[in-house]
Amino acid sequence: PVLVGYGKSAEALVEAVLSESDRALHYSEIQRIILERFSKDLDLRRVSNAASQVGFLYGRGCYGLLKHCSLNYQERLLVCSEIVEIIYDSSSERQWSGLELVEILNERGLGFDGRLSPYTLYVALKDETVIRYLGRSVWAQSSEMSISSSDRISIRQAVKSLILQAGKPLTNLEIKEALLKSRGINSHFQIFPDESIISLGDG
């Protein structure tokens, strides 16, 4: 057993149910399991609200945790990299729907055998700081950022050069410290994997 929450709140009960499940669940199914497992007869709307607070939407009325995402960590990083590039290669006023972005990635051969959807796209982008989530599966450039295509290309080339010169994997901190010696980088600096830069673990 693993402790995932405490108390009798709807959120704690929903998270416990989702943690035990090997798949995302419809909120009506979550309600049934809570009743059977914990003898708590929660209102269906309360279960739905709690599920939206502790989990991610993976389909119409279906909620799950990060572990239920069909894209693994490396695939989510690649999705982030591609989406940031797409969004910043357009007008700063442009807004992008999740479905539109999924279609573009599919055209680029990044559909991951049908595992990429507007739902898994949201999970992949949830912590991305250089783009803004506007709600209703719509994204845009962050109003606090100003990143040009040339800036991204320049930083990517500098990172590749540093790793090649080192002849070994480098941590995020090592790369940042080396870059700061030769150029300025902003507080939102991120390293995105591509065809020649891969992540070998967290950081």
Side-chain angles (χ1 to χ4, degrees), residues 57 69-71 75 78-80 82-84 86-87 94-125 131 133 136-139:
L57 189 64
C69 183
S70 58
L71 301 178
E75 291 168 338
L78 182 56
V79 167
C80 280
E82 293 291 325
I83 294 303
V84 168
I86 291 167
I87 291 178
R94 175 84 151 83
Q95 296 182 3
W96 300 81
S97 73
L99 187 58
E100 182 180 21
L101 292 170
V102 167
E103 289 174 351
I104 293 173
L105 291 189
N106 275 318
E107 291 172 0
R108 295 186 178 189
L110 294 173
F112 303 105
D113 300 319
R115 289 181 288 119
L116 180 67
S117 70
Y119 300 109
T120 54
L121 177 75
Y122 173 81
V123 177
L125 299 178
I131 57 177
Y133 182 62
R136 296 187 178 275
S137 193
V138 175
W139 281 268

Side-chain angles (χ1 to χ4, degrees), residues 87-95 132 140-143 145:
I87 291 178
Y88 276 90
D89 278 342
S90 67
S91 164
S92 61
E93 304 299 318
R94 175 84 151 83
Q95 296 182 3
R132 280 185 299 157
Q141 293 183 19
S142 172
S143 57
M145 299 291 294

